[in-house]
Amino acid sequence: MSLSELQLWKRGVIMDNLTVEQALEALLAHSKMIEETEKVPVLQARGKVLAEDMVAELDNPPFDKSPIDGYACKAEDIADVSEERPAELKVLEEIDAGQYSNITVEKGQAVRIMTGAAVPKGCDCCVRQEDTDYGEDTVKIFHPTRQWQNYCYQGEDFKRGTVLLKKGTRIGFVEAGILASMGKTEANVYRRARVAILTTGDEVMAPGQKLLPGKIYDCNQNLLAARMEDFGVELVKLDSIEDRPQAMTKAIQDIAPSVDLIITTGSVSVGKKDIMHEALELAGAQRIFWHIQMKPGMPTLFSVYQDTPVISLSGNPFGVAVSVDLLIRPMLQKMMQDEALKTRRKKCVLKNEFVKEVRGRRYIRAVTDGESVTIPTGLHSNGVLATMAGCNCLIEMQGGKPGTKVGELAEVILL
């Protein structure tokens, strides 16, 4: 597609050359929340979002229990004991964890009890075995224990009817434990977003192949696939498409009905081999915008094909790394109703300088400890990924600045 043809096509376009905020607004406007739900085993629910409130159907613990190994008895029987004047109580029986006794303990009596065991009626405290003579038929208690000391009440963790996990909660290891403590084996969750990644570029080869002259290895596929796993999506397709508009058109048409989002990389500029414009036009896609006022990621192209959003990123690896968090992450947050994907920002103190002039909105790889932020040395070009190793944030720099200074506050986006 020639530059003049592109200009003609652009006349029917809604927006071009947007600010980051305008681009995000357009991306989110075309990102639909996923309302479909599914029942999944709790052990397979990690990273998914609850589609309903989880209400306790029982008290936990479901009985009064002992938090120690020792003896359960009445506090009044041992209120004034000492090493010199111990109380001697009759031991009725031993209750181990998992056992339940229907006896009622009277004055002058006790039961041997283990951690987690149900406390029988009549007892209002539990004595550490270290404060006794470890007796079996009778037990001497040398130290007083207050009423309700060393005693776990029924429902101490949670009460029946309590909403323990709200709709929209992302299930992690703690939530999985809470669900199990409620007796749940399944959880009703929103299905994950289904995503396809299509990379293009005749100059790239798959890792593992012998590298031919003039070729480079494709790092964008693995970068995107790994980040999609971080975000908890279902990666439906991961494919390399040859640099022909018709091939990309077919790939988009084939996969679109099966996914919620298509991500492509490469071929979004105006060169002879930049096929994405023509491929999307051949598919009959609606182009929403082209170009964002940011670096890296400026040539981003966004379209919609039969209700499926298609975001086409540049082929520069650092541009892909920035765009996946800055642009795609908010889309997935909305689709999956997952607050854990919300972009997190904070102000941090710069520990070193970035002397390059910033003409437009720019994003710089960096490392933060939560209070200060350091820009790594080495190349910062869009095609360089190696210097991003170990980085955990991006510094957002506004245009018109002659770089940064040590000690000034920087706007940091946490990755």
Side-chain angles (χ1 to χ4, degrees):
M1 179 178 290
S2 69
L3 182 58
S4 59
E5 288 173 324
L6 285 175
Q7 294 298 330
L8 287 172
W9 190 29
K10 284 175 63 179
R11 290 177 185 174
V13 174
I14 297 173
M15 295 176 289
D16 275 330
N17 198 32
L18 307 184
T19 65
V20 173
E21 291 76 15
Q22 289 171 331
L24 281 170
E25 185 178 352
L27 291 167
L28 293 175
H30 292 85
S31 301
K32 295 181 180 179
M33 284 195 297
I34 296 168
E35 300 292 350
E36 297 171 57
T37 63
E38 56 186 0
K39 289 271 190 182
V40 296
V42 170
L43 288 176
Q44 296 175 19
R46 181 180 174 274
K48 297 185 178 181
V49 175
L50 282 172
E52 63 182 355
D53 290 345
M54 299 303 296
V55 181
E57 297 175 356
L58 74 165
D59 293 340
N60 191 47
F63 46 78
D64 296 345
K65 70 175 185 177
S66 172
I68 59 170
D69 293 335
Y71 296 82
C73 62
K74 293 180 179 294
E76 62 180 295
D77 284 340
I78 56 173
D80 300 318
V81 302
S82 65
E83 294 276 355
E84 296 76 23
R85 293 184 299 119
E88 187 169 0
L89 305 178
K90 178 177 176 58
V91 179
L92 299 179
E93 64 179 340
E94 178 177 312
I95 306 174
D96 296 326
Q99 295 180 339
Y100 189 87
S101 175
N102 287 313
I103 67 169
T104 299
V105 175
E106 305 291 348
K107 187 174 175 60
Q109 299 176 337
V111 294
R112 185 78 185 268
I113 197 162
M114 300 302 162
T115 301
V119 178
K121 293 177 183 178
C123 299
D124 58 10
C125 70
C126 295
V127 181
R128 298 187 313 154
Q129 62 183 13
E130 295 91 333
D131 295 333
T132 74
D133 67 350
Y134 294 78
E136 295 185 3
D137 295 324
T138 62
V139 60
K140 290 182 178 180
I141 299 176
F142 301 104
H143 296 283
T145 300
R146 299 186 309 276
Q147 189 177 31
W148 310 124
Q149 187 176 352
N150 300 326
Y151 196 99
C152 294
Y153 296 99
Q154 178 174 334
E156 185 176 73
D157 188 358
F158 55 80
K159 295 283 191 183
R160 180 180 179 180
T162 303
V163 177
L164 296 180
L165 298 172
K166 290 185 175 296
K167 176 182 178 180
T169 299
R170 184 188 236 210
I171 300 173
F173 71 98
V174 171
E175 291 75 16
I178 292 172
L179 288 168
S181 69
M182 297 169 70
K184 302 294 184 183
T185 59
E186 291 184 326
N188 189 31
V189 299
Y190 293 111
R191 72 161 175 82
R192 296 181 295 165
R194 297 169 181 146
V195 177
I197 297 171
L198 308 175
T199 60
T200 186
D202 287 345
E203 75 280 8
V204 296
M205 297 182 66
Q209 297 180 331
K210 182 179 179 181
L211 198 62
L212 300 176
K215 305 284 188 179
I216 59 172
Y217 286 124
D218 181 3
C219 65
N220 288 334
Q221 266 195 13
N222 281 2
L223 186 158
L224 284 168
R227 200 56 172 146
M228 290 302 104
E229 185 174 340
D230 290 343
F231 293 160
V233 310
E234 179 184 348
L235 190 56
V236 174
K237 190 175 184 63
L238 185 65
D239 203 1
S240 300
I241 309 301
E242 61 180 302
D243 270 348
R244 289 192 310 108
Q246 295 80 4
M248 180 59 77
T249 297
K250 186 176 188 306
I252 291 171
Q253 290 174 328
D254 287 348
I255 197 60
S258 307
V259 297
D260 304 293
L261 174 66
I262 298 173
I263 305 170
T264 74
T265 66
S267 302
V268 291
S269 191
V270 292
K272 184 178 179 181
K273 299 290 280 186
D274 290 317
I275 63 162
M276 285 308 306
H277 302 279
E278 186 173 351
L280 289 161
E281 185 182 27
L282 288 171
Q286 176 192 4
R287 197 177 79 171
I288 307 302
F289 68 74
W290 181 37
H291 286 172
I292 305 174
Q293 296 169 28
M294 59 182 276
K295 185 177 181 181
M298 181 270 292
T300 300
L301 172 64
F302 181 54
S303 310
V304 175
Y305 172 71
Q306 294 185 351
D307 289 334
T308 302
V310 182
I311 184 165
S312 301
L313 311 177
S314 75
N316 289 320
F318 182 58
V320 171
V322 169
S323 297
V324 71
D325 265 77
L326 197 68
L327 305 177
I328 296 173
R329 182 174 182 157
M331 297 175 71
L332 294 172
Q333 179 199 338
K334 178 180 177 181
M335 287 179 179
M336 297 193 291
Q337 305 179 55
D338 188 353
E339 286 300 304
L341 294 182
K342 187 174 182 178
T343 301
R344 297 171 297 149
R345 294 172 175 262
K346 68 181 306 180
K347 300 282 188 181
C348 294
V349 178
L350 273 165
K351 295 186 72 173
N352 58 345
E353 296 181 339
F354 184 80
V355 296
K356 203 167 184 178
E357 182 181 358
V358 181
R359 295 182 179 178
R361 188 85 64 92
R362 182 163 186 159
Y363 296 88
I364 309 296
R365 64 202 87 188
V367 180
T368 182
D369 58 11
E371 300 298 329
S372 61
V373 61
T374 304
I375 301 170
T377 58
L379 289 174
H380 280 263
S381 70
N382 297 349
V384 172
L385 192 61
T387 51
M388 198 177 177
C391 291
N392 60 0
C393 67
L394 299 170
I395 297 175
E396 183 177 70
M397 300 175 64
Q398 302 296 330
K401 290 189 63 176
T404 65
K405 295 180 180 179
V406 175
E408 70 180 20
L409 284 176
E411 180 80 8
V412 169
I413 299 172
L414 304 177
L415 301 179

